């Protein structure tokens, strides 16, 4: 994918629309994520963070609006294209690990490559390299039930990386970990962003995690309330366009305010 920019436009996800039990999980989200950024969606439980993440992963269909990757709208992808995007473009890391208990660690890591029609030895060597990188190659033949929480999450990250995706989407990845293991996992994600240039999208409710992000989107009640920029990795033309848009919005606000003032006089 030559352009791995993620564009979210006027995105809303509404469950039971038009019924008494209607739930607006996500409302009018609008933003762009550029290649190589580390973006955090921060807010309390139930604010729509995970819904947003799953929409980017093509696991959740929008009610209104659209998500596009590069020049391709996810809603316009065929089933085959969506499968390819989820398999090769996106690596998912979950709070609950989702390792298969009946498979050993190495086979869990290699699972996403089983369908690539490649030599088994190639697949297993790729898995071992990742386990070696994260300091858990010695656990390759063990089963998930024999691992600590921090080890399980490192296995899950290795699995997310085994197909070398452009995006790593992490949904509360340290929610089940002790503080030391959490720091290890967050350090790995930061290294993947800085060294491997992976685009990281992290969902969290913990303010202690915000220091890792380049941009933070603060969310509440299904809405993105504000954007906080800590390290601007956006391309210069995107920064200029954003500044021009903000200046235009400010000008329009001033004009409307003056019109209102004169009309009231």
């Amino acid at each position: 994918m030559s352009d791995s920019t993620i564009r979210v436009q006027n995105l809303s996800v509404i469950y039971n629309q038009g019924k008494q039990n209607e739930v607006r999980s996500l409302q009018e989200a609008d933003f762009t994520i550029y290649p190589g950024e580390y973006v955090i969606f921060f807010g309390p439980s139930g604010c729509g963070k995970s819904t947003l993440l799953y929409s980017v992963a093509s696991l959740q269909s929008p009610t209104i609006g659209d998500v596009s990757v590069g020049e391709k709208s996810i809603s316009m992808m065929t089933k085959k294209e969506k499968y390819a995007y989820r398999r090769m473009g996106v690596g998912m890391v979950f709070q609950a690990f989702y390792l298969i208990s009946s498979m050993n660690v190495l086979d869990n890591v290699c699972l996403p490559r089983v369908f690539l029609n490649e030599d088994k030895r190639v697949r297993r060597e790729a898995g071992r390299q990742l386990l070696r990188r994260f300091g858990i190659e010695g656990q390759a033949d063990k089963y998930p039930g024999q691992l600590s929480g921090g080890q399980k999450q490192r296995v899950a990250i290795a699995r997310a990386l085994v197909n070398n995706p452009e995006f790593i989407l992490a949904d509360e990845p340290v929610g089940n970990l002790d503080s030391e293991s959490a720091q290890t996992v967050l350090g790995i994600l930061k290294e993947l962003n800085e060294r491997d240039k992976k685009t990281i999208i992290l969902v969290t409710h913990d303010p202690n995690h915000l220091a890792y992000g380049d941009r933070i989107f603060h969310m509440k009640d299904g809405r993105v309330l504000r954007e906080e920029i800590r390290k601007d990795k956006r391309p210069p033309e995107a920064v200029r366009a954003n500044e021009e848009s903000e200046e235009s919005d400010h000008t329009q606000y001033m004009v409307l305010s003056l019109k209102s003032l004169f009309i009231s006089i």
Side-chain angles (χ1 to χ4, degrees):
M1 201 175 295
S2 57
D3 175 12
S4 53
T5 300
I6 298 171
R7 295 177 178 86
V8 174
Q9 298 172 297
N10 192 37
L11 184 68
S12 295
V13 175
I14 305 168
Y15 301 110
N16 304 314
Q17 188 175 20
K19 299 180 181 179
Q20 288 186 342
N21 60 341
E22 177 179 286
V23 176
R24 293 178 174 267
S25 180
L26 191 64
Q27 301 187 67
E28 300 173 350
D30 204 298
F31 56 85
T32 302
I33 297 174
Y34 296 93
E37 284 198 289
Y38 192 135
V39 172
I40 295 177
F41 290 94
F42 170 72
S45 297
C47 72
K49 308 185 300 296
S50 295
T51 301
L52 189 50
L53 197 73
Y54 298 154
S55 297
V56 170
S58 84
L59 296 171
Q60 171 67 60
S61 299
T63 308
I64 303 169
D66 193 28
V67 178
S68 60
V69 181
E71 300 303 319
K72 188 72 173 183
S73 165
I74 289 178
S75 63
M76 298 300 293
M77 289 180 181
T78 63
K79 283 186 177 181
K80 187 175 181 180
E81 287 173 328
K82 285 183 179 180
Y83 292 151
Y85 168 63
R86 286 194 291 261
R87 186 173 66 245
M88 305 299 294
V90 173
M92 296 288 295
V93 182
F94 302 95
Q95 178 176 340
F97 317 129
Y98 293 125
L99 302 178
I100 298 176
S101 61
S102 60
M103 297 173 66
N104 69 25
V105 163
L106 183 58
D107 287 339
N108 266 281
V109 171
C110 295
L111 184 59
R113 293 183 67 151
V114 167
F115 310 102
L116 297 185
N117 193 29
E118 66 181 355
D119 189 283
K120 183 178 180 180
R121 289 171 297 181
V122 173
R123 178 169 72 240
R124 291 176 72 83
E125 178 55 30
R128 284 193 180 278
Q129 286 180 7
L130 288 167
L131 293 175
R132 191 177 305 129
R133 175 177 178 177
F134 300 143
I136 49 174
E137 187 183 12
Q139 315 300 323
D141 296 323
K142 293 185 178 180
Y143 289 82
Q146 298 173 284
L147 305 183
S148 68
Q151 289 172 330
K152 288 177 183 178
Q153 196 58 292
R154 279 182 277 170
V155 172
I157 293 173
R159 180 184 58 191
L161 285 168
V162 76
N163 280 337
N164 194 29
E166 296 179 78
F167 315 115
I168 300 296
L169 311 186
D171 188 7
E172 300 278 8
V174 299
N176 287 338
L177 305 182
D178 60 77
S179 57
E180 183 177 350
S181 296
Q183 291 303 311
T184 298
V185 167
L186 291 169
I188 288 172
L189 293 175
K190 189 65 174 176
E191 180 186 285
L192 291 171
N193 176 250
E194 294 182 345
R195 195 181 93 176
D196 299 62
K197 307 304 179 185
K198 301 292 184 186
T199 302
I200 306 292
I201 306 176
L202 173 72
V203 159
T204 183
H205 67 275
D206 191 334
N208 294 316
H209 302 162
L210 301 187
Y212 290 89
D214 302 323
R215 281 198 293 158
I216 296 98
F217 291 96
H218 295 259
M219 296 186 67
K220 186 178 180 181
D221 298 332
R223 294 184 181 275
V224 176
L225 300 182
R226 64 185 178 92
E227 174 189 4
E228 177 185 353
I229 300 175
R230 299 199 171 194
K231 183 178 181 181
D232 205 339
K233 292 182 182 175
R234 297 175 298 172
E237 59 271 19
V239 176
R240 285 195 299 270
N242 187 64
E243 290 173 347
E244 290 170 1
S245 176
E246 289 179 352
E247 184 177 343
S248 175
D249 290 344
H250 179 70
T251 301
Q252 291 181 26
Y253 174 77
M254 293 300 294
V255 169
L256 289 172
S257 297
L258 287 171
K259 282 183 178 179
S260 176
L261 174 64
F262 289 131
I263 290 172
S264 62
I265 292 173

